[in-house]
Amino acid sequence: MIFNARDGSVPGASWAWKKVVRFGVAFLFVVGFITVLWPSGEPVRLPLQTTPNITLAPDVSCELDYDKMTSLNILKVAQYTRREIVLDMTEEPVPYTQWLEQPFLQMPKGTEGAADGCSIPAPVTLRVPVPPKSADASHIDFGVATSATRLNESLNAFAHWAGYSRARIFALIERDESENGIQDVKAKAESLGINLYITESDDDYLNRYFALIPLLEKNARETTQWGCIIDDDTFFLSMPRLVDALAKYDHTTSMYIGGLSESIPQIATFGMIGFGGAGVFLSKPLLTEMTNVYDQCSAMDFTGDRRIAICVYRYTQTRLTVDHRLRQLDLMHDASGFFESGREPPLTVHHWKSWFHADMPKLAVVAELCGDTCLLRKWHFGDGWILTNGFSVIKYHVDPDKDDLAMEKTWDSHNGATDESYLHELGPLRRKDEHKRSFQLVDAVHEPNDRVTQWYVMRDEKNGDQVLELSWRKSTERVQTPLYALRAPAAHG
């Protein structure tokens, strides 16, 4: 008998053929697997998927806190740099802008990279003034018309300037059916050291705003000197500086102190008034005068801060005293030029979470380490990078001259404003640098070991975000005693 394997007439031929096929497939799979994973002289470097949501570029070789990256709203990390800053506190005068020869984001010459692959190994030492002592602001009462929800959201910002200052804040809020909600707000304020007093009202916002005047007058104490009307997004950078500023005015006379808008069209619309977001300060005698004509002023068609101004102008002989350090900040979309100017910081800022974005509570976190006087200080490094403390790290495409005092006009004009519309408050100005590279502050934390960590991010949706992590600490090499500190008593022999 002749057997034909091709037609399957050989016993067991079908089983043998299947075995050969299976072996071949397995062999090809193993060869392919080894080919892909076997080390080569020039490996193909692909983006490393570290978590389901965050991707690292090949050059990012250090371990990262991916929960922190998520909180910073980062999906792809193109570059990560860590730098330590040592604070050298001095009692000598320190300019707001300092020019240094050393680089900031470049590796210093003669040094090797850190073991983690992301840190610049040598810390940079920066000079700052000794922080001022805490201010006693018990002679200032603040009034704000808002809602319980917005008030609760504002407390973290209020804590920076009002916390443990002995100032009082009187909030006139729309009636809230939830008594527990108000109690929660009061409890949070107490935990932050804020003296908060809440009154509910059925009036609308604009009437509640003007009703703050008799409320402040009624609650004034013998030691009260000033009542201040604010918005719930008015932010004071430094209570000690505010107390010093008000001390130069005569609180025993009728005084109306405020800041103008930075935009001429805004002034043309609303008049020569103290713009409310910047903070409107009324001396105790003026509060009494205005309360006496409250009914007449309440009947006027004018509303808000304009009603305050017209009431003052119609029924008293007091006129506006302009303090240019009180800032309304009527700047649209990008106010970075204002904050990065290197000029003396303002007393107040406004619109920081509406017209433009600048997280003022996060900006102020570093003050817990070096005091209010180190906020927005500017250091210009040898590699062209500029640190504005608490706001940004930038590098201009065209670096301004050292003696250039002009402010970069980064904001968009509105309501018919021209560049000249801002000169009365912000001049001199220069054009916006469209190619400026900018890390913006996104988060800051006061660590338990008395350090402050800041995260600055340069956004790039296409190529991935660059992250700069700055870790601040005080110098341990030279400890200076502040002028206001208690001295040890002299020994008696």
Side-chain angles (χ1 to χ4, degrees), residues 12 19 48 63 65 68 77 115 145 160 166 235 243 259 261 283 285 287 358 386 388 397 408 422 441 462 469 487:
K19 188 173 183 180
L48 175 63
E63 294 186 6
D65 182 343
K68 171 56 68 174
V77 182
H160 169 71
R166 300 181 67 189
F235 188 89
V243 169
S261 172
S283 65
L287 282 173
I386 303 170
T388 299
H397 179 67
E408 183 188 9
Y422 301 95
L441 180 78
K462 180 180 179 181
E469 177 186 319
R487 308 288 184 178

Coordinates of all heavy atoms in Angstrom, one line a residue, residues 12 19 48 63 65 68 77 115 145 160 166 235 243 259 261 283 285 287 358 386 388 397 408 422 441 462 469 487:
G12 N -1.8 9.9 11.6 CA -1.2 10.9 12.5 C -0.6 12.2 11.8 O 0.0 13.0 12.5
K19 N 1.3 20.6 15.0 CA 2.4 20.8 16.0 C 3.5 21.6 15.4 O 4.1 22.5 16.1 CB 2.9 19.4 16.4 CG 3.9 19.5 17.6 CD 4.3 18.2 18.1 CE 5.2 18.3 19.3 NZ 5.6 17.0 19.8
L48 N 7.7 58.3 28.2 CA 7.4 57.3 29.2 C 6.0 57.6 29.8 O 5.8 58.6 30.4 CB 8.5 57.3 30.3 CG 8.3 56.4 31.5 CD1 8.3 54.9 31.0 CD2 9.4 56.6 32.5
E63 N 12.3 61.3 40.0 CA 11.0 60.9 40.4 C 10.1 62.2 40.8 O 10.6 63.1 41.4 CB 11.1 60.0 41.7 CG 11.8 58.7 41.4 CD 11.7 57.8 42.6 OE1 11.1 58.2 43.6 OE2 12.3 56.7 42.6
D65 N 6.2 63.8 42.1 CA 4.9 63.6 42.8 C 3.8 63.7 41.9 O 3.4 64.8 41.5 CB 4.8 64.6 44.0 CG 3.6 64.4 44.8 OD1 2.7 63.7 44.4 OD2 3.6 65.0 45.9
K68 N 0.8 65.7 42.9 CA 1.0 67.2 42.8 C 0.9 67.6 41.3 O 0.3 68.7 41.0 CB 2.4 67.5 43.3 CG 2.8 69.0 43.0 CD 1.8 70.0 43.6 CE 1.8 70.0 45.1 NZ 1.0 71.1 45.6
V77 N 4.7 66.4 31.1 CA 5.9 67.2 31.6 C 7.0 67.1 30.6 O 7.6 66.1 30.3 CB 6.3 66.6 33.0 CG1 7.5 67.4 33.5 CG2 5.2 66.5 34.0
A115 N 22.0 64.1 41.7 CA 21.7 62.7 41.5 C 20.3 62.4 41.0 O 20.1 61.4 40.3 CB 21.9 62.0 42.9
A145 N -19.9 93.9 51.5 CA -21.2 93.4 51.1 C -21.0 92.2 50.2 O -20.4 92.4 49.1 CB -22.1 94.5 50.5
H160 N -4.5 86.6 55.1 CA -3.2 87.1 54.9 C -3.0 88.5 55.6 O -2.0 88.8 56.2 CB -2.8 87.2 53.4 CG -1.6 88.0 53.2 ND1 -0.3 87.5 53.5 CD2 -1.4 89.2 52.6 CE1 0.6 88.4 53.2 NE2 0.0 89.5 52.7
R166 N -6.0 92.2 64.7 CA -7.0 92.9 65.6 C -7.9 93.8 64.8 O -8.7 94.6 65.4 CB -6.3 93.7 66.7 CG -5.4 92.8 67.7 CD -4.8 93.5 68.8 NE -5.8 94.1 69.7 CZ -5.4 95.0 70.6 NH1 -4.2 95.4 70.8 NH2 -6.4 95.5 71.4
F235 N -7.6 92.8 48.0 CA -6.5 92.1 48.7 C -5.4 93.1 49.1 O -4.9 93.9 48.3 CB -5.9 91.0 47.8 CG -4.9 90.1 48.5 CD1 -5.3 89.0 49.1 CD2 -3.5 90.5 48.5 CE1 -4.4 88.1 49.7 CE2 -2.6 89.7 49.1 CZ -3.0 88.5 49.7
V243 N -1.0 100.2 57.7 CA -1.1 101.0 58.9 C -0.1 102.2 58.9 O -0.5 103.3 59.2 CB -0.7 100.1 60.1 CG1 -0.5 100.9 61.4 CG2 -1.8 99.0 60.4
G259 N -8.5 105.1 45.6 CA -7.6 105.1 44.4 C -8.5 105.2 43.1 O -9.7 104.8 43.1
S261 N -9.3 104.6 39.0 CA -9.1 103.5 38.0 C -7.8 103.8 37.2 O -7.4 105.0 37.0 CB -10.3 103.5 37.0 OG -10.0 102.6 36.0
S283 N -12.7 108.4 57.3 CA -12.3 108.7 58.7 C -13.6 108.6 59.5 O -14.7 108.8 59.0 CB -11.6 110.0 58.8 OG -12.5 111.1 58.4
P285 N -14.9 110.8 61.6 CA -15.8 112.0 61.5 C -16.6 112.0 60.2 O -17.8 112.4 60.2 CB -14.8 113.2 61.5 CG -13.7 112.7 62.3 CD -13.5 111.3 61.9
L287 N -17.6 109.3 58.5 CA -18.6 108.3 58.7 C -19.9 108.8 59.4 O -21.0 108.6 59.1 CB -18.1 107.1 59.5 CG -17.2 106.1 58.8 CD1 -16.6 105.1 59.8 CD2 -18.0 105.3 57.7
A358 N -4.5 86.1 39.1 CA -3.3 86.1 39.9 C -3.7 85.6 41.3 O -4.4 86.3 42.0 CB -2.6 87.4 40.0
I386 N 14.4 86.2 35.2 CA 14.0 87.2 36.2 C 12.9 86.5 37.1 O 11.9 86.1 36.6 CB 13.4 88.5 35.6 CG1 14.4 89.1 34.6 CG2 13.0 89.5 36.6 CD1 13.9 90.2 33.8
T388 N 10.2 87.2 39.9 CA 9.4 88.1 40.7 C 8.7 87.3 41.7 O 7.8 86.5 41.4 CB 8.3 88.8 39.8 OG1 9.0 89.6 38.7 CG2 7.4 89.8 40.6
H397 N 12.4 88.4 25.5 CA 13.1 88.2 24.2 C 14.1 89.3 23.9 O 15.2 89.1 23.4 CB 12.0 88.2 23.1 CG 12.6 88.0 21.7 ND1 13.2 86.8 21.3 CD2 12.6 88.8 20.6 CE1 13.6 86.9 20.0 NE2 13.3 88.1 19.6
E408 N 5.8 97.0 31.3 CA 5.4 96.4 30.1 C 3.8 96.3 30.0 O 3.2 95.9 31.0 CB 5.9 94.9 30.1 CG 5.5 94.1 28.8 CD 5.9 92.7 28.9 OE1 6.3 92.2 30.0 OE2 5.8 92.0 27.9
Y422 N -3.6 105.0 30.2 CA -3.1 104.4 31.4 C -1.9 105.1 32.0 O -1.4 104.7 33.1 CB -2.7 102.9 31.1 CG -3.9 102.1 30.6 CD1 -4.1 101.9 29.3 CD2 -4.8 101.5 31.5 CE1 -5.1 101.1 28.8 CE2 -5.8 100.7 31.1 CZ -6.0 100.5 29.7 OH -7.1 99.8 29.2
L441 N 3.3 81.3 38.6 CA 3.1 80.6 39.9 C 1.7 79.9 39.8 O 0.7 80.5 39.5 CB 3.1 81.6 41.1 CG 2.8 80.9 42.4 CD1 4.1 80.2 42.9 CD2 2.3 81.9 43.4
K462 N 1.1 71.7 23.2 CA 1.6 70.9 22.1 C 2.8 70.0 22.6 O 2.8 68.8 22.4 CB 2.0 71.7 20.9 CG 2.6 70.9 19.8 CD 3.0 71.8 18.6 CE 3.6 71.0 17.5 NZ 4.0 71.9 16.3
E469 N 10.3 74.1 40.3 CA 10.0 74.0 41.7 C 11.1 74.7 42.5 O 12.3 74.4 42.5 CB 10.0 72.5 42.1 CG 9.8 72.2 43.6 CD 9.9 70.8 43.9 OE1 9.4 69.9 43.1 OE2 10.5 70.4 45.0
R487 N 15.6 92.5 73.4 CA 17.0 92.3 73.8 C 17.1 91.6 75.1 O 16.2 91.8 76.0 CB 17.7 93.6 73.8 CG 17.5 94.5 72.6 CD 18.3 93.9 71.4 NE 18.1 94.8 70.2 CZ 18.7 94.6 69.1 NH1 19.5 93.5 68.9 NH2 18.6 95.4 68.1

